[in-house]
Structure formats: C-alpha cells, structure tokens
Amino acid sequence: MTRVAVVTGGSRGIGRATAERLAADGQAVVIVYAGNKAEADKAVAEITSKGGQAVAAQADVADEKAVAAVFDLAEQTFGGVDVVVNSAGIMPLGTVADMDLDTFDKIMRTNARGTFVVAQQAARRLRSGGALVNISSSVVGLRFPQYGAYAMSKGGVEALTLVLARELRGRDVTVNVVAPGPTATDLFLDGKDQATIDNLAKQAPLERIGTPDDIAEVISFLAGPARWINGQVVRANGGII
C-alpha cells in the first residue's frame, strides 16, 4: 500500500523539499499552499515528471474547515493519510518593545493555531503506522533578539508535540518535531545581508547554513523508518547548539 503524505507549506522552502523527498521515497503527496498556486503547481509537475504522485490543495492552515477539506481530498484521491508534515509558517521579526500586535497575532494564527488545527486532523485521521512531523526552529534554543514572537509560537509547537504523542497511545502513530537551524530558504534569507549569513554559517561546526534538502532528509527518516522515535525534538542545525 502506498503511503500518503500531507505537507503544509509545500510550495516553497523546506516544505517543497520535503514534498519532493517524500515523493521520491514512494509516497503520494498532497502539497498544501496558502496562496502561491504557481509554485505549488510547479512542485506537483516536478514530482509527477519523475513518476511520483502529487496533487496541490489551497488552504489557510488556521481554518479548520479548509484543513478538513485537504484531508478529505487526500482520502478521496489516494485512499487515506499516513504522514503529515506541518511546515507552513511565517517569520516577521521585531523586538518585543516594537512588535506590532497585529503582526504578533498573524504569527500566532499561522504558526501556533495552524499547527494545532493540522495536528487535530492528523490525530483524527492518521492510519496505523502513521507519523506527524511538526516543524519548530532552533531559535527556540538560540533565542536571537527580534525572534521573540516567532520563538514563542514555535515553543508552543514543541510543547504540543509530546502531549499529542501521549494522547495517541495505542494508535501506532509517532509525533515528533524537527527544529531547523539557519537554513537557506527565502523565509530565512529575506532581509539578511551576506555578512549576516556568513556569520551564521560560521556558528555551526560544519561551517555552513543548512539546505532545505538537509531538513527534508531528517523529516523523511521520521516519516518512514523511524518508528521508535516518538515525542522528540530533533534539532537539525549542524551542531549550532
């Protein structure tokens, strides 16, 4: 039986790399995107051109009806859901003193509520042998200035994960977090000059920043063979902490 994966934030960055990696692993993939239909369609075309199975679905991850419809689509198209990757996220930066609270609310809506809403559907629908992989950030541990709201939203994701793993006792479903360090995505690189990027690269003993494929490799492991890893936070950051 082909495993079926739902990947939010799947049109770009880590989500895109993950969708392509899971498809290469033999999974059928539902690529969930917020608004960039063109990139989502490109991701589907890339996967299908290599013999994989994929469809795109538009949804605001914080909208429970839209997310339920995505899971309906996965079940109707591919027969069920075995893997869910919660990769959708936004990262506006600002100090605690200066952060606009409307911006704060948007961060929490996508990163915290969105993760919860998707996790709720995963908890209800994942088949036996399934896996939920949430995406946090190593900034929860690094605590860089201006990342307060973002780190707060991702800290909640980490807290939720072990709770849900325990709630799914007896279901043979794993729930884990991958917390990337600095990774070369548009989301991370936006607004950073080369000197800042170079400085971040030097912090890891491997002396580079991560790539989306680096993170997708870890997610692939947790989404497939890693059945004895459960309720854990995997900091995929090259040793930066």
Side-chain angles (χ1 to χ4, degrees):
M1 182 179 71
T2 299
R3 283 169 74 81
V4 180
V6 172
V7 181
T8 71
S11 65
R12 299 171 67 193
I14 290 169
R16 170 81 164 264
T18 297
E20 293 180 358
R21 174 59 186 264
L22 294 180
D25 291 344
Q27 300 198 31
V29 182
V30 178
I31 295 171
V32 185
Y33 66 97
N36 198 331
K37 184 178 187 300
E39 285 301 316
D41 288 343
K42 283 182 185 178
V44 169
E46 178 72 17
I47 289 168
T48 55
S49 72
K50 295 178 179 177
Q53 301 180 74
V55 295
Q58 191 278 329
D60 171 3
V61 290
D63 180 340
E64 65 273 25
K65 292 181 180 177
V67 170
V70 168
F71 280 75
D72 290 342
L73 176 67
E75 291 172 351
Q76 292 159 7
T77 306
F78 299 123
V81 181
D82 303 284
V83 172
V84 175
V85 180
N86 241 325
S87 187
I90 60 173
M91 194 173 65
L93 303 181
T95 64
V96 173
D98 295 331
M99 171 67 71
D100 178 82
L101 289 179
D102 286 341
T103 302
F104 175 88
D105 288 343
K106 289 175 183 176
I107 294 169
M108 290 300 163
R109 177 176 170 80
T110 296
N111 297 359
R113 178 188 166 98
T115 295
F116 190 96
V117 168
V118 173
Q120 184 175 71
Q121 287 297 318
R124 294 171 178 174
R125 305 213 205 186
L126 278 170
R127 295 189 286 204
S128 179
L132 169 61
V133 183
N134 293 322
I135 305 300
S136 176
S137 169
S138 286
V139 80
V140 173
L142 294 168
R143 300 180 180 92
F144 293 143
Q146 299 194 46
Y147 283 80
Y150 181 73
M152 187 176 173
S153 72
K154 292 300 191 177
V157 170
E158 294 187 9
L160 172 69
T161 296
L162 179 55
V163 171
L164 184 53
R166 289 172 169 167
E167 289 179 353
L168 294 180
R169 175 182 294 274
R171 288 270 302 279
D172 189 24
V173 170
T174 62
V175 187
N176 292 291
V177 177
V178 174
T183 304
T185 64
D186 291 341
L187 181 70
F188 178 77
L189 296 175
D190 183 44
K192 293 181 175 67
D193 59 26
Q194 191 60 46
T196 299
I197 295 167
D198 290 345
N199 182 58
L200 287 167
K202 291 174 185 174
Q203 292 188 32
L206 297 176
E207 296 189 330
R208 65 177 177 86
I209 63 173
T211 68
D213 287 343
D214 288 327
I215 310 306
E217 182 173 46
V218 180
I219 294 169
S220 169
F221 179 59
L222 295 172
R227 300 309 302 164
W228 197 233
I229 300 175
N230 194 22
Q232 303 302 310
V233 178
V234 180
R235 301 216 178 279
N237 58 33
I240 195 170
I241 56 169

